[in-house]
């Protein structure tokens, strides 16, 4: 069995309801990609998974593999931005409610 290949810094991705997951090694990256629900013709997913396999075989560097994963994660919209999506949605809802109430105040019935 090949020893896992850690990398630093980890790739932070958003999973679930605004939770952060750090992908810090080749094995974690490969497992994540294998668990990802496949869409038809998802070329970036296939490229990232292929890069993991190439790195294990010594045919790609961890930096190349990380770049392939980052491209996939950006396209999938799962790169961690540091902004909690739940808080963002709440703030947007409050802004919408305030705008709605302000509109009612300007246009009395």
């Amino acid at each position: 069995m090949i020893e896992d290949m850690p990398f630093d810094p980890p790739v932070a991705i958003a999973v679930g309801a605004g939770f952060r997951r750090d992908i810090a090694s080749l094995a974690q990256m490969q497992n994540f990609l294998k668990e990802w629900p496949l869409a038809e013709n998802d070329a970036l997913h296939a490229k990232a998974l292929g890069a993991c396999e190439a790195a294990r075989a010594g045919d790609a560097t961890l930096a190349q593999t990380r770049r392939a994963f980052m491209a996939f994660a950006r396209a999938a919209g799962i790169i961690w931005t540091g902004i909690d999506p739940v808080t963002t949605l709440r703030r947007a809802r409050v802004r919408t409610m305030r705008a709605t109430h302000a509109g009612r105040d300007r246009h009395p019935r």
Side-chain angles (χ1 to χ4, degrees):
M1 180 173 156
I2 297 175
E3 187 175 321
D4 194 14
M5 298 180 225
F7 47 85
D8 191 41
V11 178
I13 56 174
V15 294
F19 291 97
R20 174 185 168 145
R21 178 173 172 185
D22 288 334
I23 305 294
S25 73
L26 185 61
Q28 289 176 2
M29 184 181 293
Q30 197 166 22
N31 289 337
F32 179 84
L33 289 166
K34 286 180 179 180
E35 294 169 1
W36 185 260
L38 293 177
E40 286 187 37
N41 301 321
D42 194 344
L44 291 174
H45 178 271
K47 185 175 180 179
L49 195 52
C52 290
E53 292 164 4
R56 288 217 178 276
D59 296 330
T61 66
L62 287 178
Q64 291 168 324
T65 306
R66 181 186 169 95
R67 282 193 298 274
F69 184 77
M70 292 289 290
F72 156 74
R74 274 190 206 96
I78 59 170
I79 288 290
W80 179 259
T81 62
I83 301 170
D84 173 20
V86 174
T87 301
T88 301
L89 289 172
R90 284 184 188 145
R91 289 179 182 164
R93 196 164 122 206
V94 167
R95 282 192 300 272
T96 301
M97 288 173 39
R98 286 181 183 159
T100 300
H101 290 297
R104 285 183 191 156
D105 293 343
R106 281 187 240 144
H107 305 287
R109 292 182 182 190

